[in-house]
Amino acid sequence: MKRLKIGLLGLGQVGSGVYSILKSKGANLARKNGTAFVLEKIAVKHSIKKRAVHPNRKQLTTNTRSLVRDPKIDVVVELIGGIHPAKELILSALRSGKDVITANKALLAEHGRQIFGEAKRLKRHLFFEASVGGGIPVIKVVREGLVANQIRSIYSIINGTSNYILTKMSEEHLDFKEALKLAQKKGYAEADPRLDIEGIDAAHKLTILASLVFGGWVNFKDIYVRGISSIRSEDISFAEEFGYTIKLLAVAKKTADGIEAHVQPTLLPKSHVLSNVRGSYNAVLMQGDEVGDILLYGRGAGSKPTGSAVVSDLVDLARSVDSDHSFAPNLKPLKVRNISSLLSRYYLRLHVVDRPGVLAKISEVLGRQKISISDVIQKERRLGSVVPLILLTHGTQEHSLRRAVHAIDRLAVLKEKAQVLRIEE
Amino acid sequence: MKRLKIGLLGLGQVGSGVYSILKSKGANLARKNGTAFVLEKIAVKHSIKKRAVHPNRKQLTTNTRSLVRDPKIDVVVELIGGIHPAKELILSALRSGKDVITANKALLAEHGRQIFGEAKRLKRHLFFEASVGGGIPVIKVVREGLVANQIRSIYSIINGTSNYILTKMSEEHLDFKEALKLAQKKGYAEADPRLDIEGIDAAHKLTILASLVFGGWVNFKDIYVRGISSIRSEDISFAEEFGYTIKLLAVAKKTADGIEAHVQPTLLPKSHVLSNVRGSYNAVLMQGDEVGDILLYGRGAGSKPTGSAVVSDLVDLARSVDSDHSFAPNLKPLKVRNISSLLSRYYLRLHVVDRPGVLAKISEVLGRQKISISDVIQKERRLGSVVPLILLTHGTQEHSLRRAVHAIDRLAVLKEKAQVLRIEE
């Protein structure tokens, strides 16, 4: 039987998942695929530490640099995350003639052109199913299952932490801080949750997905990113009154003027298929020119779901070791449209002093930018006190809206800066 | 460049989809995959006929038997459907050394052991992505993306026609016949719709899917099948009052006592992810032991979606032509549990003469089988007239329920036979 000798970098959450799946199912996978999966070496920070899994001492090493150059190893599985030293280790592994499997979305998003380029040049395989959507085989589906399609658009919920927080805010009427604490308690959010709640993790994944389906490389820095930390429970309640939920939506579309790509909290109609994605689940909705709408839904994180994706890459690699097909995305840079030129409807939440003529004044400012109002809610009216005034606009370009909001924010009746959220239909 | 020479059997809806995708994207697919896809011959019933696509005369033949033995052809794509002559043609193609791609769920479900067995014996590839879920790459996902998982259960909506009819009945308050007519007008239902509305098509697909994921062959005849033709709009309204939708659900589970597999109209809570699958869409919800719940959703039929799945098989074949890995499911027969031993809650709709003591009498009959009632709706009460009485039961075995319903149907107050539907939570 063929043997695929694996060097594992990292034995944290995902690494432990991979380890335990190989331990419990390795023999069965070997029998079905004609390849034995041999965990040759595992690089860890501390060789003695309490862990969920217990490899034997001889498998463990703290020397990552020698692991990635070890001639006994065929494939390096990088699960340490972050940019450094993951980048140097992956490049070193590729240059030592090894194939690489990684779950590192930050690295692929920010240095993908260099890393994919190097893999291509060296004719090594670089697999990354676990980098987007955790256990959901979204990379396989877009690359193989939908190979006959040009993907026109991606609408996705690809950060489980943010979706968990927004779900708790909506269903249990928590405020943002309470929901974040709950997420941390449940292990869904890191001690430093910024990558998740500021939308950066979702933008990393969107970079990879968009670069894969639009036939060129999307620069991570060109993606407009805004997280969920400014969302208040009142925004969620007002959105609900209008028939919407608020989701951290990662969107990419191919248009005649370039790629549209952004991550931001967005109002979605309750009847939209993504509105029902609750808790820490992820979902990716794509439109293919042949297949139409297709949705993939599942666990976007966690030890075993993500481990399941890494192991599927190992099996794919075992099947394609002899092929020189490197499956690299096209690395030619794509033009991403500036967010200011995009057309959308908007939700505005203003805290104003309730005084006659306030709505007229605000409508006038919007009117100057040719923005018309489709819906209004004005609550708890008490003359002279500060009350929320909620407006939904008709479609307008972002730059017109920004100009109007800038003017509105300077009105004397405004008691705090306006909240502005995009609406998708 | 390598060339994959294709013989196409059938140029109907799916065949035309494949033809037009290869025509518009063949060059691009060839460039990306290093293989030219050459449509060598197309077998049709009538060589002169009005069609959506226009192959040149030389490609067309009416001689299916010589096509499947033509030494110039590498792969036969069977898209004529039905059992005969599709079966004989596929076997002949395999025996002539060709790989085969098919969308024929009826054939694979009813004769899969023979056909997969023959492909395995002859070391030929047999691909069938389009046979389940149309454009949704469900076969690829379970076989490759979820390779690290044991699938524990499948809950699916895999007949678009039935789902379209039930959606129209629910949303536009049509009765079954009106909704069926509408489906026929829209092209979602055949002139003879029995395969779809009687649940047989869904059971065919469930046979294939269950056989693939449970590690042995499920006999199509062992699957309990009931279609939607007995569903009335009143059933849909009553179900809604209790917070349920009615869906034609195809379910398969692995249990300690064998496989559970059935297709039947089923009450599902409105909050269930499958309740929101509307119109002609399909969805497959699976539970893997590592990945947890995963859902795939998309177009389950149609020329281009199904064509997209066939073309993805062609690309996969081009990549694996040199491998002797035939990917056949395990053909050892699996024990399927008799439906009568399964436990479930039930919905009962009785038309009874409204008379004092009716509910007591019916409860007594149910009580004799140790079935207890969880919910009751009794409407339009007018002493002496016939009124609907709706009961939801607690969990009970199907055979107890059948015995109770048999007794209830013979009560003098019953004006027509009871409607019995399973409830899934």
Side-chain angles (χ1 to χ4, degrees):
Chain A
M1 192 183 284
K2 279 193 297 182
R3 289 155 68 86
L4 188 70
K5 289 187 193 160
I6 303 162
L8 192 60
L9 291 174
L11 197 58
Q13 219 202 4
V14 181
S16 307
V18 173
Y19 181 90
S20 66
I21 293 173
L22 286 179
K23 184 138 187 157
S24 63
K25 296 181 173 164
N28 193 26
L29 288 170
R31 194 175 45 72
K32 271 162 74 176
N33 295 285
T35 300
F37 298 90
V38 182
L39 211 42
E40 190 77 22
K41 279 279 173 211
I42 304 171
V44 292
K45 261 197 194 142
H46 309 284
S47 60
I48 296 169
K49 187 182 163 185
K50 231 183 149 178
R51 289 193 178 85
V53 296
H54 309 284
N56 71 52
R57 273 299 167 78
K58 279 190 206 150
Q59 280 176 299
L60 293 181
T61 174
T62 54
N63 192 337
T64 51
R65 275 153 213 267
S66 81
L67 183 147
V68 297
R69 279 178 285 181
D70 185 338
K72 287 199 299 296
I73 285 172
D74 303 310
V75 53
V76 168
V77 178
E78 184 274 305
L79 302 173
I80 53 180
I83 306 297
H84 305 289
K87 183 182 167 188
E88 293 72 21
L89 291 170
I90 286 179
L91 290 173
S92 171
L94 291 170
R95 288 167 191 156
S96 307
K98 298 175 197 333
D99 295 315
V100 169
I101 291 170
T102 179
N104 195 330
K105 53 249 179 180
L107 179 61
L108 293 181
E110 298 188 22
H111 300 272
R113 291 188 70 204
Q114 183 184 353
I115 289 169
F116 282 114
E118 197 67 357
K120 194 170 187 172
R121 188 179 70 82
L122 296 162
K123 295 197 173 166
R124 299 324 312 167
H125 293 286
L126 176 61
F127 286 178
F128 50 100
E129 182 61 72
S131 68
V132 182
I136 311 170
V138 54
I139 303 295
K140 177 168 281 286
V141 165
V142 299
R143 212 157 55 172
E144 302 173 38
L146 303 183
V147 67
N149 290 263
Q150 286 195 15
I151 304 294
R152 292 171 172 154
S153 65
I154 301 166
Y155 287 83
S156 60
I157 294 173
I158 43 182
N159 182 267
T161 309
S162 300
N163 202 52
Y164 179 85
I165 291 171
L166 291 174
T167 304
K168 287 289 160 187
M169 288 176 74
S170 160
E171 293 180 0
E172 296 174 20
H173 308 287
L174 305 182
D175 69 24
F176 174 77
K177 279 189 183 162
E178 292 168 329
L180 171 58
K181 257 188 204 156
L182 193 60
Q184 284 170 324
K185 216 175 114 186
K186 291 262 186 182
Y188 292 139
E190 312 278 328
D192 177 359
R194 279 173 299 180
L195 276 182
D196 290 322
I197 63 173
E198 296 310 338
I200 300 160
D201 175 74
H204 283 149
K205 293 165 181 167
L206 188 66
T207 302
I208 298 170
L209 210 46
S211 297
L212 214 58
V213 304
F214 295 142
W217 194 257
V218 171
N219 187 348
F220 167 68
K221 294 206 173 86
D222 290 343
I223 295 183
Y224 174 85
V225 184
R226 176 182 166 194
I228 60 168
S229 55
S230 73
I231 303 297
R232 298 208 193 132
S233 39
E234 59 174 350
D235 292 319
I236 291 178
S237 310
F238 292 132
E240 271 174 18
E241 284 192 51
F242 287 115
Y244 293 91
T245 55
I246 298 181
K247 293 290 184 188
L248 182 67
L249 215 60
V251 174
K253 288 185 211 177
K254 198 167 195 171
T255 75
D257 303 320
I259 302 297
E260 176 182 331
H262 42 90
V263 174
Q264 55 189 313
T266 305
L267 274 71
L268 265 186
K270 278 185 198 166
S271 61
H272 194 286
V273 64
L274 291 178
S275 281
N276 298 305
V277 177
R278 298 171 53 247
S280 65
Y281 276 93
N282 282 18
V284 180
L285 175 67
M286 291 175 284
Q287 195 185 48
D289 61 344
E290 309 291 353
V291 81
D293 280 350
I294 199 152
L295 176 87
L296 310 174
Y297 163 102
R299 291 247 170 248
S303 174
K304 294 202 165 178
T306 313
S308 158
V310 171
V311 172
S312 78
D313 273 351
L314 280 168
V315 173
D316 272 3
L317 183 67
R319 286 209 206 99
S320 44
V321 147
D322 303 329
S323 113
D324 63 353
H325 200 283
S326 79
F327 245 152
N330 189 326
L331 301 174
K332 177 190 67 169
L334 287 179
K335 188 190 152 225
V336 174
R337 294 174 66 184
N338 192 291
I339 187 95
S340 68
S341 67
L342 302 183
L343 198 77
S344 178
R345 294 184 62 209
Y346 290 91
Y347 159 101
L348 300 181
R349 186 245 303 146
L350 312 172
H351 280 264
V352 296
V353 181
D354 194 3
R355 205 179 275 167
V358 167
L359 185 55
K361 180 153 260 164
I362 288 164
S363 313
E364 190 208 313
V365 177
L366 288 167
R368 251 182 268 141
Q369 299 297 334
K370 307 210 186 324
I371 298 166
S372 59
I373 297 169
S374 71
D375 296 273
V376 180
I377 299 180
Q378 202 166 357
K379 288 259 162 151
E380 317 152 35
R381 303 207 52 171
R382 271 170 303 144
L383 274 186
S385 69
V386 176
V387 296
L389 170 65
I390 315 301
L391 307 174
L392 305 192
T393 75
H394 285 293
T396 177
Q397 281 192 315
E398 175 109 2
H399 62 77
S400 306
L401 187 90
R402 290 284 157 201
R403 242 176 268 143
V405 168
H406 185 68
I408 289 170
D409 278 345
R410 285 181 305 169
L411 294 177
V413 292
L414 254 281
K415 285 306 153 195
E416 61 172 297
K417 287 202 163 186
Q419 167 73 295
V420 181
L421 298 171
R422 195 179 161 91
I423 303 173
E424 287 278 0
E425 297 300 338
Chain B
M1 192 181 282
K2 278 193 297 181
R3 290 156 67 86
L4 188 70
K5 290 188 194 158
I6 302 161
L8 193 59
L9 290 174
L11 197 58
Q13 220 202 2
V14 181
S16 307
V18 172
Y19 181 90
S20 66
I21 293 173
L22 286 179
K23 185 140 188 158
S24 62
K25 297 182 173 162
N28 193 27
L29 288 170
R31 196 176 43 74
K32 271 163 73 176
N33 294 286
T35 299
F37 298 90
V38 182
L39 211 40
E40 189 75 24
K41 278 279 171 208
I42 305 170
V44 293
K45 260 198 194 142
H46 308 285
S47 60
I48 297 169
K49 188 184 163 184
K50 230 182 151 176
R51 290 193 178 85
V53 295
H54 308 284
N56 71 50
R57 271 303 166 78
K58 277 190 208 152
Q59 279 176 300
L60 293 181
T61 173
T62 54
N63 193 338
T64 52
R65 273 152 216 266
S66 80
L67 182 149
V68 297
R69 278 179 287 180
D70 186 338
K72 287 199 298 298
I73 285 172
D74 303 310
V75 52
V76 168
V77 178
E78 184 274 306
L79 301 172
I80 53 178
I83 307 296
H84 305 290
K87 182 181 167 188
E88 293 71 23
L89 291 170
I90 286 179
L91 290 173
S92 172
L94 292 170
R95 288 170 190 154
S96 307
K98 298 175 196 334
D99 295 317
V100 169
I101 291 170
T102 178
N104 194 331
K105 54 250 180 179
L107 179 61
L108 292 181
E110 298 187 22
H111 299 273
R113 292 189 69 205
Q114 184 185 354
I115 289 169
F116 283 113
E118 198 68 357
K120 194 170 187 174
R121 188 179 69 83
L122 296 162
K123 296 195 172 167
R124 300 321 313 168
H125 292 288
L126 176 61
F127 286 178
F128 51 99
E129 182 61 73
S131 68
V132 182
I136 311 169
V138 55
I139 303 295
K140 176 169 282 286
V141 165
V142 300
R143 213 157 54 170
E144 302 173 39
L146 304 182
V147 67
N149 291 264
Q150 286 196 14
I151 304 295
R152 291 170 173 155
S153 64
I154 301 165
Y155 287 83
S156 60
I157 294 173
I158 42 181
N159 182 266
T161 309
S162 300
N163 202 53
Y164 178 84
I165 290 170
L166 291 173
T167 304
K168 286 290 160 187
M169 288 176 73
S170 161
E171 294 180 1
E172 295 174 21
H173 307 287
L174 305 183
D175 69 24
F176 174 77
K177 279 189 184 162
E178 291 167 332
L180 171 58
K181 258 189 203 155
L182 192 61
Q184 285 171 323
K185 216 174 116 187
K186 290 261 187 184
Y188 292 140
E190 312 277 329
D192 177 357
R194 279 173 298 178
L195 276 182
D196 291 321
I197 63 173
E198 295 310 338
I200 300 161
D201 175 74
H204 282 148
K205 293 165 180 167
L206 188 66
T207 302
I208 297 169
L209 210 46
S211 297
L212 214 58
V213 303
F214 294 142
W217 193 257
V218 171
N219 187 348
F220 166 68
K221 294 207 173 87
D222 291 342
I223 295 183
Y224 174 85
V225 185
R226 177 183 164 193
I228 60 168
S229 54
S230 74
I231 303 296
R232 297 205 192 134
S233 38
E234 60 174 349
D235 292 319
I236 291 178
S237 311
F238 292 132
E240 272 175 15
E241 283 192 51
F242 288 114
Y244 293 92
T245 54
I246 298 180
K247 292 290 186 189
L248 182 67
L249 216 62
V251 174
K253 288 186 211 174
K254 199 167 193 170
T255 75
D257 302 320
I259 301 297
E260 178 183 329
H262 41 90
V263 174
Q264 54 189 311
T266 304
L267 272 72
L268 265 186
K270 279 186 198 164
S271 60
H272 194 286
V273 63
L274 291 178
S275 280
N276 297 306
V277 177
R278 298 170 53 246
S280 66
Y281 277 93
N282 281 19
V284 180
L285 174 67
M286 290 175 286
Q287 195 185 49
D289 60 345
E290 310 291 352
V291 82
D293 281 348
I294 198 153
L295 176 86
L296 311 173
Y297 163 102
R299 291 247 169 247
S303 174
K304 293 199 166 178
T306 313
S308 158
V310 171
V311 173
S312 77
D313 273 350
L314 280 168
V315 173
D316 271 3
L317 184 66
R319 286 210 207 99
S320 46
V321 147
D322 303 329
S323 113
D324 63 353
H325 200 283
S326 79
F327 245 154
N330 189 325
L331 301 175
K332 175 190 68 168
L334 288 178
K335 189 191 151 223
V336 175
R337 293 173 65 186
N338 192 292
I339 187 95
S340 69
S341 68
L342 302 184
L343 199 77
S344 178
R345 293 183 63 209
Y346 290 91
Y347 159 100
L348 298 182
R349 186 246 301 148
L350 312 172
H351 280 264
V352 296
V353 180
D354 194 5
R355 206 179 274 167
V358 167
L359 186 55
K361 179 153 259 162
I362 288 164
S363 315
E364 190 209 311
V365 176
L366 289 167
R368 252 182 268 143
Q369 300 297 332
K370 307 209 188 321
I371 299 167
S372 59
I373 297 168
S374 72
D375 295 273
V376 179
I377 298 180
Q378 201 166 358
K379 288 258 161 152
E380 316 153 36
R381 302 208 53 170
R382 270 173 302 144
L383 274 187
S385 68
V386 176
V387 296
L389 170 65
I390 316 301
L391 307 174
L392 305 192
T393 75
H394 285 294
T396 177
Q397 282 192 312
E398 173 110 1
H399 61 79
S400 305
L401 187 91
R402 290 287 157 198
R403 242 177 268 142
V405 168
H406 185 68
I408 288 169
D409 279 344
R410 284 182 306 170
L411 294 176
V413 292
L414 255 281
K415 285 306 153 195
E416 60 172 295
K417 287 199 163 190
Q419 167 74 295
V420 180
L421 298 171
R422 195 178 163 92
I423 303 173
E424 288 278 357
E425 295 302 335

